[in-house]
Amino acid sequence: MTATDLIPVFDGHNDTLLRLYQSKEADVEKLFIDGTPGGHIDLPRAKKGGFAGGMFAIFPPPIEKTKRSAVPPAPSDNEPLPPELPRAEAITSTIGMASILFRLERAGALTVCRSAGDVREAMAKGSIAAVFHIEGVEAIDPELAMLDVLHAAGLRSLGIVWSRPNAFGNGVPFRFPSSPDTGPGLTDAGKALVKACNQLRIMIDLSHLNEKGFRDVAGLSDAPLVATHSNVHAICGHSRNLTDWQLGAIRETGGMVGLNFATGFLREDGKMNADTGLDIMVRHIDSLLQALGEDGVGLGSDFDGAMIPAVIGDVAGLPKLIDALAARGFGRALIEKIAYRNWLRVLEKTIG
């Protein structure tokens, strides 16, 4: 299988809207459509890599009081949770990124999809199929009024938490090595949110949620369990990765997991190091297939939100991973499931 035999990829997670939002450029449509150095996703590179669409995350960023170091921090087993984000800050950034998503649609750069049928239609037309996703629902009030508004605007997928606490639950801190069992479960508001998402047919993303919160969702939700961008804890013992019992719970519900390309969640040493090969990515996929079956594995790159292997580089490098799967002996039918068909199946069962 070669790049000329391009298999489309529907990806479980990217942070491209955050990158565009933080660029502070007035014409973000031009940045995305014409392409720009840096970052991972824009329209020219998406076309080159066979990127057909995915969950476009709105992530309300932390308020950073100190400048980040250019050197990635070493893995730590006692990394604290970031503080809770004030709701006013979250509303501002959430609405700002939602605006960018709809501006990109008006400019013809992508199609905002509200159902699996919309995704299929956009892919058939060659338009990027974007599912409106929120990663950390700090902008939503405990009474869930904002949830109704966001759903009406097109929200179809959400992660209750990022790796910090909020009114609904607690995320896992970025710890290595560490179990994901790092704090209390969902609050009463969080449990009500799960029920509301089921009623509205909003997919719930378990990535970033701690173990007790995961158990709460598993006990409450009537939808397939999904982790859009997580890996195998048995290979990389990071708190962000999924343990055997979590993978088993996902399989029991007919859910799925998207492989996260972040090197710190791939490598056995937990290091953020771009000098990371395709072999470890394929190893995680092999392990996910064993745990979940052929219908339970997809991709969840975390493009524009993480340090990814240099061999992939950006969205244009997706065919390299596809070719690595083919070289491992995966047939075309299985590769197509991993690349996009499994996401379509789960979206049909969750958002309709």
Side-chain angles (χ1 to χ4, degrees), residues 67-189:
K67 189 174 181 180
R68 287 188 184 183
S69 169
V71 179
S76 168
D77 62 1
N78 62 356
E79 183 72 16
L81 270 176
E84 190 166 344
L85 184 69
R87 183 161 179 255
E89 298 283 346
I91 290 173
T92 297
S93 58
T94 296
I95 297 302
M97 282 178 270
S99 171
I100 291 172
L101 178 66
F102 294 122
R103 284 166 58 188
L104 290 174
E105 182 177 41
R106 287 199 301 270
L110 50 76
T111 300
V112 178
C113 298
R114 293 165 174 81
S115 68
D118 287 353
V119 173
R120 292 182 187 277
E121 186 176 341
M123 289 176 65
K125 291 179 178 178
S127 176
I128 291 176
V131 175
F132 181 173
H133 171 86
I134 291 180
E135 180 180 32
V137 295
E138 286 85 358
I140 296 175
D141 54 295
E143 295 73 32
L144 307 182
M146 181 66 86
L147 181 69
D148 289 325
V149 174
L150 292 168
H151 177 260
L155 176 69
R156 291 298 181 270
S157 175
L158 62 80
I160 297 172
V161 295
W162 181 65
S163 289
R164 63 188 169 211
N166 63 25
F168 303 95
N170 287 269
V172 290
F174 292 102
R175 291 179 185 164
F176 177 92
S178 173
S179 159
D181 187 9
T182 58
L186 299 183
T187 64
D188 288 344

Side-chain angles (χ1 to χ4, degrees), residues 200-263:
L200 292 170
R201 303 208 71 175
I202 296 172
M203 189 177 78
I204 299 169
D205 177 15
L206 296 163
S207 294
H208 287 280
L209 190 60
N210 68 9
E211 184 174 303
K212 288 184 175 64
F214 185 111
R215 287 187 187 275
D216 286 338
V217 175
L220 291 165
S221 179
D222 60 14
L225 298 177
V226 177
T228 63
H229 58 305
S230 294
N231 295 335
V232 179
H233 193 273
I235 297 174
C236 171
H238 199 289
S239 56
R240 270 282 282 108
N241 287 339
L242 298 164
T243 62
D244 290 347
W245 82 260
Q246 289 176 310
L247 293 169
I250 291 169
R251 180 170 185 150
E252 285 178 11
T253 65
M256 69 176 287
V257 175
L259 176 81
N260 194 320
F261 295 7
T263 59

Side-chain angles (χ1 to χ4, degrees), residues 151 156 196-203 348-352:
H151 177 260
R156 291 298 181 270
C197 286
N198 284 170
Q199 291 166 1
L200 292 170
R201 303 208 71 175
I202 296 172
M203 189 177 78
E348 283 172 354
K349 287 189 172 187
T350 51
I351 71 173

Side-chain angles (χ1 to χ4, degrees), residues 17-71:
L17 295 174
L18 176 64
R19 178 172 63 83
L20 294 173
Y21 176 73
Q22 292 183 323
S23 75
K24 304 298 183 183
E25 293 287 339
D27 193 352
V28 292
E29 298 95 326
K30 181 177 174 61
L31 277 183
F32 186 82
I33 292 170
D34 293 350
T36 181
H40 292 148
I41 297 179
D42 53 37
L43 191 56
R45 287 181 287 178
K47 289 181 177 179
K48 184 177 179 181
F51 178 80
M55 261 65 86
F56 276 66
I58 288 174
F59 164 54
I63 301 170
E64 296 198 50
K65 294 182 171 60
T66 57
K67 189 174 181 180
R68 287 188 184 183
S69 169
V71 179

Side-chain angles (χ1 to χ4, degrees), residues 274-292:
D275 186 17
T276 298
L278 294 169
D279 55 334
I280 191 65
M281 302 178 78
V282 176
R283 185 178 166 199
H284 276 273
I285 289 175
D286 267 330
S287 186
L288 288 170
L289 287 168
Q290 291 172 24
L292 302 169

